[in-house]
Amino acid sequence: MGIVKFKAGDVIHDVGDSISTMEIVTKGSIKVTDCNEGNFVIKAGSIIGIGEEIAKCYKFRYVAQTEGSYYSYNYSSLADVERVLDANEKILPILARTAIDAVLLSANVVTKQYERVSTEYTQLMDNLKEYPKICKQLGQEPRDFTDLGKIAALAKEVNANSWQYDFIYALARHKEELNDSFFSLDPKLAKGVILMADELLIKFSHEMEDLNLYNEALVRHALSFRQEFVLLRSRFEESKRNEAEDIENAPAIKNALDTILHYSGLDAEIAGRFKANVNNYKEIENKFESSDHIRKLRKDIGRDYLDLYKAVLLNSLITDMPVEARMFLYFGFVDEDLAGEDNTKTLYKFAKLWEADEKGKYLTAYDWLVKVYNGEVPPSRNDFDLDFEGDLKEKKRSGDIDEKEYNRLLTSNEAKLDFEIRNMFASGNRVTYGRVTTYIPIFDKANIIKPLDLAYVDVATITKAINKVRETDYSVFYRERVYANADLGITKFFVDQEIIPYVILMPNLGSRGFLWQDIEGRKRDTPGRMLISIFHMVDLEDTVLKLCGEFRWELCKTVQGVYWNNVQDPSLTSEYCDYLQFYKKNSSLSSDHKEKVRTALKKHNNNYREVFIADYLSYMKYERNGSLRLNKVARGIIANYCTFSKEIRTGLMSNPQYAESMKRFAIAHKDKVSQVDNLIRKLDSKGLEIPTEVYEQRDYLNF
């Protein structure tokens, strides 16, 4: 059929395509995927599809890894193979060597799978013997699983014989010598090796199919027993850990992944796939490499992780939760080897000692999702800024769901939970992790760059970090609203109400904070939602301060609406936008200050919000101590809208750089205090009860 050129990414053959051609790669490399052991690459001098059966369908996917070419031939019988080989007599030694490589790889795959399945069978039989003992120790009557004892042990060498394996390994060991002193004797020797390799590859393929069928049957028949046994063993081991004198010396956690998967009750196919992917991930030496195979593995783990998380969470609402499941929900922990022995002990301790926030503002992702499921809080908006109801309306409009399904989902707690997991939880976990290209949702010791006890964010830690900001920027979480009381003759009185945001601790080892939303839905008197890694690998106080700066900006935009950048309606965002947009013409700025503004805009890609946040950090960290970092204009705007607390203002009173902003604040503040005092005197003179809101506003103004 002739020479065919291909580009990187081209699919040469896909799984299920009919086999009608045979190709010899002349240039470039092609990746073969969808085999049980992942991917391998074939290069120039290889035959595409060797080991695939004539007149059937491809079992593997062949995708071009680089630009290259191959020579294509018609392929409908063994005679076609011989004809192709005879036509390429000069390169038969090369083809033979690559054929040996292919059959060796296949032999190794079959051997590993046999060992894996044999281990599964042996483990099952051992567990079956241990089961009655554990039941007795827990005071539980054992169930009848005697039929499992009838499962036959795995037979080896169903299709290929042991001598054939030995022969292949010998060929591989002496591949170079064969080329120099064997294939050179007669081209037919190389041809014979290629044809023999083709036959063996087909045998190995059949053997792999038999192994997979046996394993599927084993898993299916043993599923009920394994689920009960694993959870019973987890209970038994937890009882021994509870008997330990202290948490530090508790017996080690073992087989955590099996416990989590069996507890979840997740679909067997998804559970098996997740376990296989986690085990494959564990074997990778460099967890940060960016090959296609690793990227796909991370993506597959991330996809099934969401299903597993939801299943474990739902089960936790109706049954007692083993500590392994709690560690998974809180920290993303799935495997003691992947986490490391010492880290596993630390996670166990944190899970056992976790204390919830009494006010319910600072909580784990798990506790947050439970609140969503129970209807205590509405689901968060998604990446397209649609809330749960808005997303359903969009799906109904596009025809994805009908009116009946829309009404059902609208009141479904599980649908709300699923929406939150697929949107806020999935995206928030990735963003707070901090390194999007290497994101993995499961706990991996390779991501630890700071001791866990120092990185751990519990309720006390996040409370301290939030309060430190509130002690400096005292009004950061206050919202102005109108208070009215017709009985007291109060028609319009402005009060400031503090609304602390939710801080949701995401189950990852991360380095970023993220403001998911500044209010709930359209109601301005509702708390925002901030996301932070539960193991925070950078300075937590800096992250929280940055989040508060972002919150300041976004809340102002929400309150101002379409006028958020219109300086005729003065606000934090409109004045800062005006300052950054026209800084070149601002006579209050020196040429040096203008150059610094230009540099800041360039650094932050002309994003006014990011420039403000950077200035906000400098203002709150350094200028509170009198260490000047900002220019006069920026300082004046931030001082006006993000005023320091009374104690800090008093300390800066003598600093001439703050004289103007302090004077402006004092005038506005005096006017507000006068309004409150006048209202109190008025109500008092009439003998009327003074509302709590009025007293609270006076207390607020004294900050």
Side-chain angles (χ1 to χ4, degrees):
M1 293 182 59
I3 195 77
V4 177
K5 295 183 178 180
F6 55 78
K7 301 189 296 293
D10 286 353
V11 178
I12 312 300
H13 298 298
D14 211 342
V15 175
D17 289 350
S18 298
I19 298 173
S20 60
T21 60
M22 175 181 178
E23 295 85 16
I24 296 178
V25 181
T26 56
K27 182 182 177 182
S29 60
I30 294 172
K31 182 174 62 177
V32 185
T33 62
D34 290 337
C35 54
N36 287 278
E37 286 297 310
N39 307 330
F40 64 93
V41 175
I42 57 176
K43 298 182 179 180
S46 301
I47 302 173
I48 298 178
I50 186 170
E52 300 274 13
E53 294 187 73
I54 302 167
K56 292 195 176 181
C57 298
Y58 286 100
K59 298 176 182 177
F60 304 122
R61 191 170 193 248
Y62 300 84
V63 181
Q65 193 176 42
T66 65
E67 184 180 283
S69 60
Y70 59 78
Y71 205 93
S72 181
Y73 301 88
N74 289 322
Y75 182 35
S76 59
S77 68
L78 185 60
D80 290 331
V81 178
E82 294 191 50
R83 180 174 53 81
V84 170
L85 296 178
D86 291 338
N88 292 275
E89 187 174 292
K90 290 183 179 180
I91 63 168
L92 283 179
I94 298 174
L95 297 177
R97 289 205 307 274
T98 57
I100 291 171
D101 289 340
V103 77
L104 175 65
L105 176 63
S106 185
N108 287 335
V109 167
V110 172
T111 300
K112 286 183 179 179
Q113 182 68 351
Y114 173 80
E115 292 171 352
R116 186 179 294 121
V117 176
S118 294
T119 301
E120 287 286 323
Y121 172 80
T122 303
Q123 186 67 55
L124 176 62
M125 294 300 107
D126 290 343
N127 292 345
L128 198 57
K129 292 177 183 177
E130 190 181 357
Y131 173 65
K133 300 176 185 177
I134 293 180
C135 287
K136 183 177 180 180
Q137 289 168 322
L138 291 174
Q140 179 171 319
E141 191 68 26
R143 291 169 56 192
D144 182 15
F145 292 104
T146 53
D147 285 348
L148 289 180
K150 300 175 183 177
I151 298 176
L154 180 64
K156 194 178 181 184
E157 300 164 6
V158 177
N159 293 286
N161 298 313
S162 60
W163 70 264
Q164 291 173 314
Y165 282 92
D166 294 339
F167 182 60
I168 286 302
Y169 292 134
L171 285 177
R173 284 196 303 273
H174 301 289
K175 187 170 55 175
E176 296 304 322
E177 297 96 307
L178 288 171
N179 187 51
D180 296 335
S181 59
F182 182 68
F183 295 145
S184 59
L185 295 176
D186 192 324
K188 291 182 176 57
L189 294 173
K191 177 181 174 182
V193 168
I194 296 168
L195 294 173
M196 178 211 62
D198 187 52
E199 289 182 1
L200 280 177
L201 282 167
I202 292 172
K203 282 189 174 185
F204 291 151
S205 177
H206 289 162
E207 191 158 337
M208 180 60 79
E209 290 175 356
D210 292 341
L211 284 169
N212 289 337
L213 286 173
Y214 177 90
N215 189 52
E216 288 172 7
L218 185 67
V219 170
R220 186 171 60 254
H221 292 312
L223 181 62
S224 178
F225 167 73
R226 276 181 168 161
Q227 185 168 7
E228 172 147 339
F229 176 80
V230 167
L231 295 179
L232 278 177
R233 184 174 59 191
S234 174
R235 279 177 51 198
F236 175 65
E237 291 174 350
E238 181 62 11
S239 69
K240 290 194 294 184
R241 284 191 286 268
N242 290 335
E243 291 171 1
E245 292 184 4
D246 57 70
I247 291 178
E248 301 289 347
N249 297 318
I253 284 178
K254 298 178 181 178
N255 305 305
L257 183 55
D258 284 340
T259 302
I260 294 165
L261 290 173
H262 285 297
Y263 173 77
S264 72
L266 190 64
D267 177 80
E269 181 181 350
I270 299 175
R273 185 173 64 208
F274 184 79
K275 181 177 179 179
N277 285 333
V278 169
N279 287 331
N280 287 336
Y281 179 76
K282 282 167 60 177
E283 294 174 5
I284 297 169
E285 291 187 12
N286 179 10
K287 300 292 175 51
F288 304 107
E289 66 175 270
S290 57
S291 67
D292 291 342
H293 171 58
I294 304 304
R295 281 199 295 269
K296 183 178 184 302
L297 188 58
R298 292 193 195 102
K299 183 178 179 181
D300 290 345
I301 289 174
R303 174 199 61 212
D304 293 335
Y305 172 86
L306 297 178
D307 291 324
L308 178 60
Y309 200 97
K310 178 183 174 183
V312 173
L313 185 150
L314 287 174
N315 211 23
S316 75
L317 301 177
I318 55 176
T319 63
D320 290 338
M321 182 164 42
V323 71
E324 294 91 340
R326 187 175 299 278
M327 292 161 67
F328 167 71
L329 293 170
Y330 283 8
F331 313 124
F333 167 82
V334 295
D335 182 87
E336 61 275 10
D337 295 326
L338 194 58
E341 182 179 353
D342 290 341
N343 296 325
T344 300
K345 288 183 177 180
T346 300
L347 296 180
Y348 172 76
K349 179 179 69 174
F350 289 156
K352 294 288 286 185
L353 299 178
W354 174 265
E355 293 185 6
D357 176 24
E358 293 180 356
K359 297 180 180 178
K361 286 294 185 179
Y362 311 139
L363 60 176
T364 64
Y366 164 71
D367 293 319
W368 170 259
L369 291 169
V370 170
K371 287 174 78 75
V372 172
Y373 180 81
N374 290 335
E376 298 173 38
V377 292
S380 306
R381 296 193 292 268
N382 64 16
D383 290 325
F384 301 102
D385 206 32
L386 290 174
D387 60 15
F388 176 67
E389 185 177 354
D391 181 70
L392 289 180
K393 287 180 179 178
E394 182 62 26
K395 287 178 179 176
K396 185 175 71 169
R397 187 193 65 77
S398 63
D400 293 338
I401 58 175
D402 57 19
E403 183 73 25
K404 182 179 180 181
E405 182 68 359
Y406 169 82
N407 291 328
R408 184 189 72 81
L409 293 174
L410 192 60
T411 57
S412 168
N413 287 347
E414 187 170 338
K416 293 175 183 177
L417 172 66
D418 191 70
F419 179 82
E420 190 77 345
I421 288 176
R422 305 290 167 187
N423 292 284
M424 185 284 285
F425 179 79
S427 297
N429 212 24
R430 177 183 291 271
V431 173
T432 53
Y433 176 81
R435 302 179 302 281
V436 177
T437 56
T438 59
Y439 167 70
I440 189 81
I442 56 179
F443 189 101
D444 178 8
K445 61 188 175 186
N447 290 316
I448 299 175
I449 58 175
K450 183 179 180 180
L452 288 186
D453 56 341
L454 298 179
Y456 183 47
V457 182
D458 59 6
V459 172
T461 307
I462 191 62
T463 300
K464 181 180 178 182
I466 291 286
N467 286 345
K468 185 171 181 179
V469 179
R470 293 168 68 203
E471 289 166 4
T472 304
D473 184 5
Y474 75 98
S475 63
V476 60
F477 299 128
Y478 277 86
R479 324 269 178 92
E480 188 177 71
R481 66 181 181 89
V482 176
Y483 171 74
N485 189 322
D487 294 337
L488 299 177
I490 303 174
T491 56
K492 189 177 183 181
F493 179 70
F494 289 102
V495 297
D496 292 271
Q497 178 184 9
E498 187 174 37
I499 303 173
I500 303 294
Y502 289 109
V503 179
I504 304 166
L505 303 173
M506 305 305 290
N508 66 50
L509 297 148
S511 58
R512 282 192 60 190
F514 191 71
L515 176 66
W516 189 262
Q517 56 191 64
D518 54 319
I519 59 172
E520 292 176 1
R522 298 180 179 86
K523 299 179 69 176
R524 296 180 182 179
D525 60 346
T526 52
R529 299 174 182 185
M530 296 177 174
L531 314 180
I532 293 177
S533 304
I534 198 163
F535 290 106
H536 204 61
M537 294 292 133
V538 297
D539 187 275
L540 178 65
E541 291 184 354
D542 281 355
T543 298
V544 169
L545 189 57
K546 183 177 180 182
L547 277 173
C548 290
E550 187 177 356
F551 177 79
R552 276 281 197 185
W553 184 271
E554 292 301 324
L555 184 63
C556 183
K557 283 183 66 176
T558 298
V559 172
Q560 293 297 110
V562 295
Y563 299 102
W564 71 273
N565 61 351
N566 186 342
V567 75
Q568 292 182 347
D569 187 0
S571 68
L572 171 65
T573 52
S574 67
E575 289 193 37
Y576 227 81
C577 286
D578 184 70
Y579 148 61
L580 292 174
Q581 188 175 1
F582 301 108
Y583 75 92
K584 292 180 181 178
K585 300 179 180 179
N586 197 323
S587 59
S588 297
L589 297 175
S590 66
S591 57
D592 184 49
H593 283 147
K594 290 178 181 179
E595 178 59 25
K596 288 182 178 179
V597 174
R598 188 191 71 80
T599 301
L601 285 168
K602 183 178 180 180
K603 177 182 178 181
H604 297 288
N605 298 315
N606 217 40
N607 186 316
Y608 292 172
R609 185 187 74 162
E610 294 305 313
V611 176
F612 163 74
I613 292 172
D615 288 349
Y616 178 86
L617 260 67
S618 295
Y619 181 76
M620 293 297 167
K621 285 183 69 175
Y622 304 110
E623 299 228 352
R624 60 165 291 164
N625 299 317
S627 178
L628 303 180
R629 299 296 177 93
L630 306 182
N631 62 57
K632 178 182 178 181
V633 178
R635 181 182 300 110
I637 298 172
I638 297 179
N640 186 36
Y641 293 100
C642 312
T643 309
F644 287 132
S645 61
K646 186 175 183 179
E647 182 181 352
I648 299 173
R649 293 197 307 269
T650 302
L652 294 173
M653 201 69 72
S654 60
N655 192 321
Q657 297 291 339
Y658 288 91
E660 185 178 338
S661 60
M662 291 292 181
K663 182 179 179 181
R664 186 166 59 246
F665 172 81
I667 294 172
H669 185 262
K670 184 178 180 180
D671 182 53
K672 290 181 179 180
V673 171
S674 296
Q675 291 178 26
V676 175
D677 290 342
N678 290 338
L679 179 59
I680 291 175
R681 282 195 295 270
K682 178 181 177 182
L683 294 173
D684 193 46
S685 66
K686 294 181 179 180
L688 298 174
E689 183 179 355
I690 299 171
T692 302
E693 287 82 357
V694 177
Y695 280 127
E696 288 178 347
Q697 180 65 8
R698 186 174 66 177
D699 292 340
Y700 163 74
L701 293 173
N702 286 329
F703 277 126

